[in-house]
Amino acid sequence: MKVEAVQKPKYAAALITGASSGLGAAFVRLLDETLPDDVALWLLARNEEKLKTFAAGLKHQTRVLALDLRDEASCKRIGDALREQGASVQLLINNAGEGREGRFEELDASSCRSLCDLNVRSQVAVTSAVLPFMEAGSAIVFVASVAAFLPQPGFAAYAATKAFILSFGRALAEELRRREIHVTVTCPNPMLTDFFTHEEKEKLLASYKRWGIENPDTVAAKTLGAVRRRKVVVVTPLSGRLVRVLSKVVPVKWMTRLLGMVLV
Ligand SMILES: NC(=O)c1ccc[n+]([C@@H]2O[C@H](COP(=O)([O-])OP(=O)(O)OC[C@H]3O[C@@H](n4cnc5c(N)ncnc54)[C@H](OP(=O)(O)O)[C@@H]3O)[C@@H](O)[C@H]2O)c1
């Protein structure tokens, strides 16, 4: 009698970084409503208690990864956890990020370094750690910002990290096309999340930028819609699309001078 080897179904996962609040939590809530039941949600952020409380209210099977992505060891731990589980990652959302507003020379050097570590190095490292566990048909999301399209006096290092992510994501989209792994870079406007301190929120609401404020749930929905349509770059607000066009037609020097007058 011939015994057929029984193929064990792969454990499927969606991994979301910065899942405990703001846009990351909005992605998780939407995925909890829309993903097939057998896909587990892997939620990553530093605050374990917050993640566990959030996970307890979700319908899907979840796994909490309480890690600081600025630590080099964190990415190894992600890879080890995926390997132990025999997981196939269907969706990776590189969302964790932070911002530092103010004139660069007045900002604390270590906080600027932390920003670059989280917004740039960790996104590259997480992607390297997770890619071996991705198969054809899976997708990666990078959360950039409308700030990625132009240098921003008053938000210089932050805007530069997002320009890096936009460029990295676009290039990766092309490289991974042959493996049929799709990449989407999403570029939202400001959202009133924990990204901003109370004072920064007040300042934002008193500035012209208030007209462009977006809702994280809407940004998450537009981004996942773009993933389904296999769009590489999605600019979620209408005003952001205008900024993108201007950044292509008006010399960067003029635009930067103008932003310097308005923002600093
Ligand atoms: N809010 C905006 O106006 C805006 C606009 C455009 C783009 N974005 C981008 O959107 C993304 C999400 O921002 P958000 O507005 O949702 O901010 P948020 O509410 O502050 O959420 C940030 C998330 O990242 C996690 N996180 C922070 N530092 C971390 C670290 N070192 N290691 C692991 N996780 C860390 C936080 O949890 P823990 O603190 O527990 O770690 C939290 O879950 C960011 O990439 C941001 O640049 C935001």
Side-chain angles (χ1 to χ4, degrees):
M1 189 178 73
K2 197 175 157 202
V3 180
E4 294 284 342
V6 180
Q7 193 79 37
K8 195 175 156 219
K10 269 226 167 113
Y11 169 98
L15 171 54
I16 303 98
T17 73
S20 62
S21 75
L23 181 58
F27 275 123
V28 174
R29 286 191 297 269
L30 192 54
L31 291 171
D32 195 40
E33 293 300 326
T34 52
L35 279 183
D37 293 345
D38 59 349
V39 181
L41 295 172
W42 284 35
L43 315 181
L44 192 153
R46 289 167 302 179
N47 188 327
E48 186 168 17
E49 277 318 302
K50 201 170 169 188
L51 281 175
K52 281 186 174 164
T53 307
F54 183 36
L58 300 171
K59 291 181 273 192
H60 279 74
Q61 188 192 337
T62 54
R63 177 156 182 169
V64 161
L65 299 169
L67 297 170
D68 186 334
L69 285 175
R70 294 165 303 179
D71 296 343
E72 286 200 15
S74 295
C75 290
K76 184 175 176 316
R77 288 182 57 192
I78 297 172
D80 289 347
L82 291 170
R83 197 168 302 106
E84 271 164 30
Q85 196 70 52
S88 161
V89 178
Q90 299 198 342
L91 178 65
L92 164 64
I93 303 188
N94 276 302
N95 164 74
E98 56 179 305
R100 292 282 174 280
E101 240 179 325
R103 294 174 66 86
F104 180 72
E105 61 188 343
E106 288 163 10
L107 294 175
D108 171 50
S110 69
S111 73
C112 290
R113 185 186 171 135
S114 160
L115 164 91
C116 295
D117 283 350
L118 182 63
N119 293 11
V120 173
R121 288 179 61 195
S122 84
Q123 303 233 2
V124 175
V126 169
T127 307
S128 297
V130 175
L131 253 179
F133 302 92
M134 299 189 88
E135 294 169 352
S138 58
I140 303 174
V141 172
F142 289 100
V143 177
S145 164
V146 170
F149 298 121
L150 282 168
Q152 274 208 18
F155 222 5
Y158 177 76
T161 65
K162 294 303 181 182
F164 176 99
I165 290 303
L166 177 61
S167 169
F168 178 61
R170 276 181 153 149
L172 210 57
E174 189 52 34
E175 284 188 22
L176 295 177
R177 208 157 49 89
R178 280 171 232 143
R179 273 182 66 188
E180 292 176 43
I181 296 175
H182 174 72
V183 178
T184 290
V185 184
T186 184
C187 302
N189 255 356
M191 296 167 276
L192 293 176
T193 64
D194 295 349
F195 181 87
F196 295 110
T197 61
H198 179 70
E199 293 73 44
E200 286 169 345
K201 279 181 190 162
E202 301 270 289
K203 207 173 131 194
L204 183 66
L205 286 168
S207 80
Y208 77 93
K209 284 191 180 179
R210 68 182 180 278
W211 304 115
I213 289 173
E214 286 195 282
N215 178 319
D217 292 321
T218 310
V219 171
K222 285 184 180 176
T223 303
L224 293 181
V227 173
R228 278 191 293 278
R229 295 194 307 280
R230 297 301 191 228
K231 251 185 127 203
V232 175
V233 178
V234 56
V235 186
T236 53
L238 199 61
S239 59
R241 278 170 239 160
L242 178 66
V243 173
R244 188 184 185 191
V245 172
L246 286 175
S247 73
K248 287 179 183 169
V249 296
V250 181
V252 174
K253 188 177 156 186
W254 297 358
M255 288 298 291
T256 313
R257 180 66 56 87
L258 183 68
L259 286 173
M261 290 193 290
V262 180
L263 300 175
V264 188

